[in-house]
Structure formats: C-alpha cells, structure tokens
Amino acid sequence: MDKESLETADQVAETKREVAIRITMMPRDTNAHGTVFGGIILSYIDVAGGVEAVRHTGHDRFVTVAMREIVFLEPVFIGDLVSFYAETVKVGNTSVTIRVIVEAQRFGSHGQSVRVTEAEVVYVAINQYREKVKIKK
Ligand SMILES: CC(C)(COP(=O)(O)OP(=O)(O)OC[C@H]1O[C@@H](n2cnc3c(N)ncnc32)[C@H](O)[C@@H]1OP(=O)(O)O)[C@@H](O)C(=O)NCCC(=O)NCCS
C-alpha cells in the first residue's frame, strides 16, 4: 500500500471511531524511567469510557464498577499524543459496558500510531443519592 492509500485508510478508520479524549503526555505524567505511569493511562481510560457512557445513554451520572484486565503492549513517552477511542459494547439494565482503545502517536512521527492497550470498563447509572437506576433505552 502506498503512503497516500495508507492515509486514506487511516482517515476512514478515524471517521468511524469516536475519540473521547486526545491529550499530549507531559513530564508530570512520567515515572523515574521517563515513561508514562500506567495509572495515568488508566485514569484517562476511566474518563474516556465515562464520556462515551454519557454520550451513548444520555444519562449523566455513572460510577465505575469494573475495569476488566488491562495489558500494556507498548510504553507511552513524554510528548506522545495519546488518543482514547471509546465505543459502547453493551447497555444492560443499570450498567453500560464500554471498550476503550488507546493509541499513542509518537512525538515527531508524522501520524504514526501504536496500540498501547485496550480495556473494557463497566459503569453503573446512579441518581443524586448514589442509588443505581435503570438506563432508559
Ligand atoms: C456500582 C454499585 C452502585 C453497584 O451496586 P450493587 O447494588 O452492588 O449493584 P448490582 O450487583 O445490582 O449490579 C449493578 C450492575 O452492575 C453490574 N456489575 C456489578 N458488578 C460487576 C462486575 N464486577 N463486573 C461487571 N459488571 C458488574 C451488574 O451486572 C449490574 O448490571 P445490570 O443492572 O446492567 O444487569 C456499587 O457497588 C457501588 O457504589 N460501588 C462503588 C462505585 C465507585 O464508587 N466507583 C469508583 C471507585 S473510586
């Protein structure tokens, strides 16, 4: 595939996926070895999934009940532009399951991305008293 068709394929994929968050990693996000803390990525995964849960259901109050196994495949470095793509997998009675895919675009790489991790996160809809409530379908 030539460069032009690669870009076109990327653009098509980009338009089908919802970016919940896109953020550049800063020195404050790193450990002593110069790579980003896994916990920083986890917290953004949680937020990105929450954004999708609200977008998809129209309900505005959720708590995270479960984050399923998360394996980090590649490191994230300072300056990487990290995208958190989120899609709804399942809407249950009171819960919603969201898949979040994390990709890092290396600083100065002209758009080349690596898959960092992916996760399934389950949220439960609650009311102002923190009681679980049914999600309207
Ligand atoms: C989330 C919470 C409201 C659930 O209350 P609960 O009475 O135990 O709820 P239930 O067991 O009836 O489960 C509610 C839903 O969550 C789902 N769920 C519960 N535990 C789950 C788990 N470990 N994995 C996946 N889904 C789970 C259930 O399947 C159910 O989904 P459904 O209604 O769509 O069928 C309660 O456990 C809670 O407040 N937890 C703390 C959440 C929080 O503060 N998170 C941030 C931590 S810092």
Side-chain angles (χ1 to χ4, degrees):
M1 211 186 266
D2 58 26
K3 185 168 177 282
E4 206 166 292
S5 17
L6 264 178
E7 278 171 1
T8 310
D10 280 351
Q11 282 158 7
V12 170
E14 190 76 13
T15 53
K16 283 188 182 160
R17 303 192 292 181
E18 290 281 342
V19 181
I21 302 174
R22 183 167 276 158
I23 188 160
T24 302
M25 290 297 132
M26 294 295 183
R28 63 168 180 254
D29 302 319
T30 60
N31 58 34
H33 317 293
T35 57
V36 171
F37 279 116
I40 297 280
I41 301 298
L42 289 182
S43 69
Y44 284 124
I45 287 173
D46 199 8
V47 174
V51 168
E52 168 61 14
V54 170
R55 190 199 67 78
H56 189 92
T57 62
H59 188 81
D60 58 5
R61 223 181 271 249
F62 284 95
V63 284
T64 309
V65 70
M67 293 180 95
R68 301 218 169 103
E69 186 188 56
I70 296 171
V71 176
F72 291 100
L73 305 170
E74 297 283 346
V76 178
F77 301 108
I78 296 173
D80 284 359
L81 180 61
V82 184
S83 299
F84 297 78
Y85 297 93
E87 61 175 351
T88 300
V89 174
K90 184 184 138 197
V91 180
N93 192 26
T94 65
S95 72
V96 56
T97 303
I98 310 291
R99 179 178 299 116
V100 180
I101 292 171
V102 184
E103 291 182 4
Q105 192 177 309
R106 301 296 188 212
F107 180 77
S109 72
H110 305 291
Q112 199 190 328
S113 286
V114 293
R115 174 76 55 101
V116 172
T117 189
E118 63 178 83
E120 267 193 13
V121 191
V122 185
Y123 302 86
V124 173
I126 56 164
N127 62 19
Q128 67 266 44
Y129 309 110
R130 289 200 217 126
E131 299 160 338
K132 66 187 173 194
V133 293
K134 270 191 166 201
I135 297 170
K136 293 192 190 106
K137 294 189 183 165

